[in-house]
Amino acid sequence: MAKGSVGRNVQAVKRLVPRQVKDALIKFRSSDGSRDFRRSPSYAFLRNLMDRYRVERLVGETPDGFQRRIHQFLELEDAPMEGFQDAEKQRDLSIRFMWGHDHDFGPFRLAGQMGERHIWLLSTFMDDFRALPRDLVGKKVLDIGCWTGGTSLLLAAMGADVVAIEEVRKYVDALTYLRDSFGVSNLEPRRLSLYECSGPEFQDRFDLVLYAGVLYHVTDPVLSLRIVFDSLRDSGVCLLETAAIPSGNRSCATRALAYSVPAAPSRPTGAAGIGSSPPRPPFRG
Ligand SMILES: C[S@@+](CC[C@H](N)C(=O)[O-])C[C@H]1O[C@@H](n2cnc3c(N)ncnc32)[C@H](O)[C@@H]1O
C-alpha cells in the first residue's frame, strides 16, 4: 500500500473513533510517561487477587511437586509438540517456554517477559477507561492469546467464567496445570488459534472479550476483529489493546488502548460497562 494511502486510511479511521474514546486515549497517552500504574486505585485490588495463586492455596498438588513441575515447564524447548515442520521459521516464544506475566508463588517467584502487564492492563481498563467492573460474577469472558495466563487468572478471580485461548500448546498446558493445581473451576484454557473461534460454539457467547497484545501478531487483523465481534453477545464489550505504528506526527500512539463500540448495528451504542452493570459515564474526566 502506498504511503499516502496509509495516511488517508489513518485519517479515515480517526474520523470513525467516537469523541469520548479519543479524549480518553489522549488523556491516557499524555499521562503515560509520568503515571505510575502501581498507584492506580485498582492496583492493590488486582495484586491481592493474585494471592489466590500462591503455593499455600494449592489444592491439587504438593508445594514441592508444584515447584518441580513449573521448572519443567521453564526448561521446555520443543518444536514438534507445536506441530512445526521447520522450527527455524517459527518464533522463539513458540519453541522455548517463556513465562509471560510476573507471578509470586510465595516460596518462589517468576519474572515474566511482560512483567506486571496483566495488572497494568486490567487496572487501566478499570481506572482510566471505566470499562471493566471489578465484579465479573455471571459474566462469560474470552481471553485471546493468554500466554501463561496472568490476565486469565485475574479475570477468573474476579468471578468470570473464562475461556482462555492460546495457539501455543506449551502455554495452554501450563495454564491448565495452574488451573488444576489451584482448583479454578471457572477457567477453561484451550489450545486454539483465534481463527478457529468462528464456529457456533463461539458465536454470540461472550459478555467480554479481552483482545490484548495480539492484534499485531495476526496475519489478518480485520478478519480477527470480525471473529471477535461475532463472539460478543448483545451489549457485549471488547477491550482491545495493541501496539500500533510509531509515528512522529502524532497520528498514532505507539500503544493504543481502545474501548469497544457496539457489537452490532441493533445493539446499544456507547454503552459503558458490561451487561447489567449500572449506567455510568464511559470515561473518567
Ligand atoms: C504479546 S502476548 C499477549 C499476552 C496477553 N494477552 C497480554 O496481553 O498480556 C501474545 C500472545 O498471543 C498468542 N497468539 C498470537 N496469535 C494468536 C492467534 N492467532 N490465536 C491465539 N493466540 C495467539 C501468542 O502465542 C502469545 O502468547
Side-chain angles (χ1 to χ4, degrees):
M1 189 183 288
K3 216 172 170 189
S5 75
V6 171
R8 277 196 300 281
N9 286 337
V10 169
Q11 291 310 320
V13 169
K14 282 173 82 179
R15 277 196 295 278
L16 289 173
V17 177
R19 176 86 255 160
Q20 73 267 34
V21 174
K22 280 187 193 155
D23 289 348
L25 279 171
I26 288 164
K27 188 163 172 259
F28 175 79
R29 189 172 27 165
S30 59
S31 61
D32 202 21
S34 54
R35 177 178 165 277
D36 179 1
F37 77 98
R38 291 174 191 84
R39 300 174 70 168
S40 71
S42 298
Y43 179 78
F45 166 75
L46 292 163
R47 276 270 332 214
N48 288 342
L49 289 183
M50 286 305 286
D51 287 350
R52 296 184 186 194
Y53 308 112
R54 288 167 65 98
V55 158
E56 61 267 24
R57 306 288 286 266
L58 286 170
V59 294
E61 185 54 290
T62 62
D64 286 349
F66 181 75
Q67 190 161 353
R68 265 198 308 279
R69 184 73 187 100
I70 293 293
H71 281 278
Q72 282 169 3
F73 279 118
L74 293 173
E75 281 163 16
L76 196 56
E77 185 169 343
D78 192 328
M81 74 180 286
E82 307 298 338
F84 297 144
Q85 308 282 326
D86 182 355
E88 288 296 309
K89 296 198 173 125
Q90 301 298 332
R91 289 181 309 172
D92 201 25
L93 180 76
S94 303
I95 294 166
R96 279 197 308 131
F97 189 103
M98 295 180 209
W99 200 265
H101 306 96
D102 284 0
H103 199 133
D104 184 356
F105 287 106
F108 68 104
R109 52 171 60 202
L110 298 181
Q113 299 291 318
M114 294 186 296
E116 287 194 304
R117 180 184 148 82
H118 51 323
I119 299 181
W120 168 78
L121 197 56
L122 298 193
S123 68
T124 300
F125 280 123
M126 284 174 171
D127 300 329
D128 292 75
F129 286 80
R130 304 285 288 270
L132 181 65
R134 290 184 179 189
D135 182 356
L136 294 176
V137 172
K139 304 298 177 201
K140 205 152 171 48
V141 175
L142 177 63
D143 187 9
I144 298 171
C146 61
W147 201 343
T148 47
T151 50
S152 317
L153 292 168
L154 283 172
L155 293 164
M158 289 159 70
D161 286 320
V162 182
V163 177
I165 64 155
E166 168 56 57
E167 64 179 9
V168 180
R169 181 182 296 280
K170 45 181 72 70
Y171 299 126
V172 177
D173 290 351
L175 184 55
T176 304
Y177 177 71
L178 292 180
R179 190 269 313 266
D180 294 342
S181 301
F182 291 104
V184 189
S185 57
N186 54 334
L187 172 60
E188 189 189 354
R190 297 185 60 179
R191 197 238 177 155
L192 285 172
S193 163
L194 173 59
Y195 294 115
E196 295 172 283
C197 299
S198 58
E201 193 191 354
F202 284 89
Q203 299 257 316
D204 296 314
R205 285 282 306 278
F206 296 94
D207 301 290
L208 175 75
V209 176
L210 180 63
Y211 191 21
V214 182
L215 187 72
Y216 57 87
H217 280 285
V218 298
T219 48
D220 189 335
V222 175
L223 176 60
S224 78
L225 289 167
R226 181 75 229 185
I227 292 168
V228 167
F229 176 92
D230 287 347
S231 74
L232 289 168
R233 285 181 176 153
D234 279 2
S235 319
V237 167
C238 169
L239 302 178
L240 169 69
E241 185 270 351
T242 188
I245 308 162
S247 163
N249 68 8
R250 296 172 60 86
S251 64
C252 209
T254 51
R255 171 183 282 134
L257 277 122
Y259 158 69
S260 90
V261 277
S266 61
R267 297 172 191 181
T269 56
I274 298 162
S276 61
S277 52
R280 55 182 176 176
F283 304 110
R284 213 177 37 182

